[in-house]
């Protein structure tokens, strides 16, 4: 079994869910980077400077947000690391962290719903030129809808664990 830095009282399924989130976002990011690099993954190989910056930024932001899910199962999700200015060493508010994660999950659900609707209605232009490119696009983007339920489930487990632990009279974890 792979060793993680997850807290001992986190359910195994929550640890697996949190670690799965960055993996479900990775293929779509790699597809965008491949397109920016000029690889033949789409009808438009490469992009102009502005589009390339947007694609790379979207990839970095997406992966960064996905990696934040790990905070719901690791110590730095309960006590902010000391190296962070202003909040370093302070306990993370369980309600604020869980509510932020649930809001993120709701936004992800809405985004997936919007994308599915635009695709079904034919409102978005075709991105791929060949059947092979279409298959690659679908394979790279198909895991993304799993992000919202994985995040929501992990956030709920985090909130339950944090509020149950604090109400049971257990001391806060050491930083």
């Amino acid at each position: 079994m792979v060793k993680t830095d997850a807290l001992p009282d986190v359910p195994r399924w929550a640890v697996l869910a949190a670690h799965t989130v960055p993996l479900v976002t990775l293929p779509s990011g790699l597809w965008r980077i491949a397109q920016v690099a000029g690889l033949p993954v789409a009808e438009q190989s490469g992009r102009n400077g502005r589009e390339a910056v947007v694609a790379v930024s979207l990839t970095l932001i997406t992966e960064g947000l996905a990696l934040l899910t790990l905070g719901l199962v690791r110590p730095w999700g309960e006590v902010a690391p000391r190296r962070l200015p202003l909040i370093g060493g302070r306990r993370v508010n369980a309600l604020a962290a869980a509510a932020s994660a649930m809001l993120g999950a709701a936004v992800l659900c809405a985004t997936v719903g919007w994308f599915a609707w635009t695709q079904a209605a034919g409102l978005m232009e075709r991105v791929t030129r060949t059947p092979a490119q279409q298959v690659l696009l679908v394979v790279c983007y198909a895991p993304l809808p799993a992000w919202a339920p994985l995040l929501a489930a992990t956030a709920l487990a985090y909130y339950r664990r944090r509020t149950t632990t604090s109400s049971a009279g257990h001391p806060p974890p050491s930083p």
Side-chain angles (χ1 to χ4, degrees), residues 64-81:
L65 289 171
L67 287 168
L68 281 177
T69 307
L70 296 175
L72 299 172
V73 299
R74 293 201 174 169
W76 54 268
E78 292 193 12
V79 177

Side-chain angles (χ1 to χ4, degrees), residues 24 27-28 31 41 115 119 126-128 130-145:
V24 301
S28 61
W31 184 90
V41 297
F115 184 76
Q119 288 298 309
R126 188 163 176 83
V127 176
T128 59
T130 68
Q133 289 175 339
Q134 182 66 27
V135 168
L136 180 62
L137 178 70
V138 169
V139 166
C140 288
Y141 276 83
L144 273 180

Side-chain angles (χ1 to χ4, degrees), residues 93-106:
N93 182 297
L95 180 59
S100 298
M102 292 302 271
L103 178 62

Side-chain angles (χ1 to χ4, degrees), residues 36-85:
V36 166
L39 298 175
V41 297
E43 189 169 344
Q44 174 191 2
S45 290
R47 295 177 175 228
N48 66 35
R50 181 178 166 273
E51 290 174 330
V53 167
V54 168
V56 171
S57 297
L58 177 62
T59 299
L60 292 174
I61 290 168
T62 299
E63 204 59 36
L65 289 171
L67 287 168
L68 281 177
T69 307
L70 296 175
L72 299 172
V73 299
R74 293 201 174 169
W76 54 268
E78 292 193 12
V79 177
R82 293 205 181 279
R83 66 182 172 273
L84 294 177

